[in-house]
Amino acid sequence: MTKLAILSDIHANGEALQQVLAYCNTLGVDKYACLGDIVGYNADPQYCLQVVKSLDLVARVRGNHDDYTAMDDEEMEGFNPNAKKAIFWTRSQLNNDERRWLGDSQLRVTIPGMPVTLVHATLDSPNTWGYVFDVYHAIDNFSYQLTQVCFCGHSHVPVAFCKRPFASGPLRGVEEIREWVMANGVVPQKFDAVDVFQVKIEPGCKYLFNIGSIGQPRNRDPRASFAVYDDTAKTVTRYTLPYDIASAQAKVLAAGLPERLATRLAVGE
């Protein structure tokens, strides 16, 4: 029996990570997996790195912010100015061993003993940092997915897809799972409580879950989002948790990071 917590896009948000791990303790989580982007954007990179490093990790993959923090690349093609400033600042906060640890992980991993694959971006081209937003992106991903379940992050927007067996046609049996973002058929509008979204893993089907972000959500829900895979119950459950956003914002501003990185936390965009 294993309850595996899947953490993604922590982005140096210590307050959000603390809240998530405290909640994991109440859920009886046994193990952890990390989908990358431990650092970037927010002001607690060293704390978040050391906390994740201390967890009972069964696997982790590298995100693009981890990648650029580990490297000495000054150009960072594709990054916006605020993201670049945060990477330069993050490099100054970490020692060489910490930066090396961030870069010392694969881009995609299959968890030993579980029908689960992890990737930060996409399975078809993990090193180009593409996004999974819709059914068509999911179809491409399923073509490379050899396990029943795949977890990804990167977009900071939770979305999930199921591929039915023996289906044909342009969508190849792939459909979006609305339960991943809806509770009782409704998208949450209030963000001051915990919400729970659960999907049952059915035999013969394949699943792709983008679990959203712990440290910088972009789906207009500012709460920290993470998931738990239960290999006994055959469920994947997403949790959204309120956390102390004001403290995280204050740290961003005190560090001299761009103000936009602080303000967006309150609105989840």
Side-chain angles (χ1 to χ4, degrees), residues 1-261:
M1 174 180 177
T2 299
K3 285 187 177 181
L4 177 69
I6 316 291
L7 315 177
S8 189
D9 296 279
I10 297 164
H11 282 300
N13 189 329
E15 281 72 21
L17 180 59
Q18 287 175 6
Q19 194 73 12
V20 166
L21 294 181
Y23 201 80
C24 284
N25 286 336
T26 70
L27 295 173
V29 163
D30 306 294
K31 306 283 184 181
Y32 294 85
C34 182
L35 300 183
D37 276 1
I38 298 168
V39 300
Y41 293 129
N42 294 299
D44 274 329
Q46 190 171 57
Y47 170 80
C48 291
L49 184 154
Q50 292 299 336
V51 168
V52 171
K53 198 174 179 180
S54 72
L55 297 174
D56 192 353
L57 286 174
V58 299
R60 68 183 177 99
V61 291
R62 186 166 78 251
N64 55 319
H65 287 254
D66 303 329
D67 204 36
Y68 279 120
T69 298
M71 296 189 296
D72 292 318
D73 185 349
E74 299 292 313
E75 296 299 323
M76 289 179 274
E77 185 177 348
F79 268 33
N80 66 57
N82 288 340
K84 286 185 179 181
K85 289 177 183 177
I87 291 293
F88 286 132
W89 180 85
T90 299
R91 288 175 182 169
S92 74
Q93 303 300 303
L94 302 179
N95 61 42
N96 289 338
D97 287 341
E98 289 166 334
R99 289 178 63 187
R100 191 176 302 111
W101 185 84
L102 283 175
D104 186 23
S105 57
Q106 299 178 36
L107 294 175
R108 53 188 172 198
V109 171
T110 297
I111 298 178
M114 290 186 182
V116 175
T117 301
L118 309 179
V119 67
H120 181 68
T122 63
L123 288 176
D124 56 318
S125 185
N127 61 325
T128 62
W129 311 115
Y131 295 92
V132 176
F133 283 119
D134 57 31
V135 168
Y136 300 100
H137 295 132
I139 290 171
D140 292 338
N141 204 82
F142 279 124
S143 298
Y144 291 81
Q145 185 175 321
L146 302 180
T147 59
Q148 186 178 23
V149 177
C150 178
F151 292 104
C152 69
H154 190 42
S155 70
H156 302 203
V157 177
V159 64
F161 303 92
C162 174
K163 179 176 173 56
R164 302 289 177 187
F166 312 118
S168 60
L171 298 184
R172 304 180 202 174
V174 176
E175 58 190 39
E176 185 173 354
I177 304 172
R178 298 300 295 163
E179 294 89 339
W180 194 240
V181 295
M182 303 176 75
N184 299 316
V186 178
V187 176
Q189 300 298 313
K190 296 183 179 180
F191 308 127
D192 56 354
V194 176
D195 276 311
V196 180
F197 312 85
Q198 188 171 89
V199 175
K200 182 74 174 178
I201 303 300
E202 302 292 344
C205 295
K206 282 188 175 182
Y207 297 86
L208 171 62
F209 296 98
N210 186 315
I211 68 171
S213 172
I214 288 176
Q216 197 201 74
R218 295 178 187 166
N219 59 326
R220 299 193 180 278
D221 181 343
R223 294 173 294 179
S225 177
F226 75 102
V228 173
Y229 170 74
D230 189 322
D231 71 345
T232 300
K234 302 302 179 188
T235 56
V236 178
T237 309
R238 187 171 73 89
Y239 299 88
T240 53
L241 309 180
Y243 71 94
D244 187 353
I245 292 175
S247 291
Q249 291 175 311
K251 287 182 180 179
V252 169
L253 297 175
L257 291 165
E259 183 179 0
R260 165 65 176 158
L261 298 180

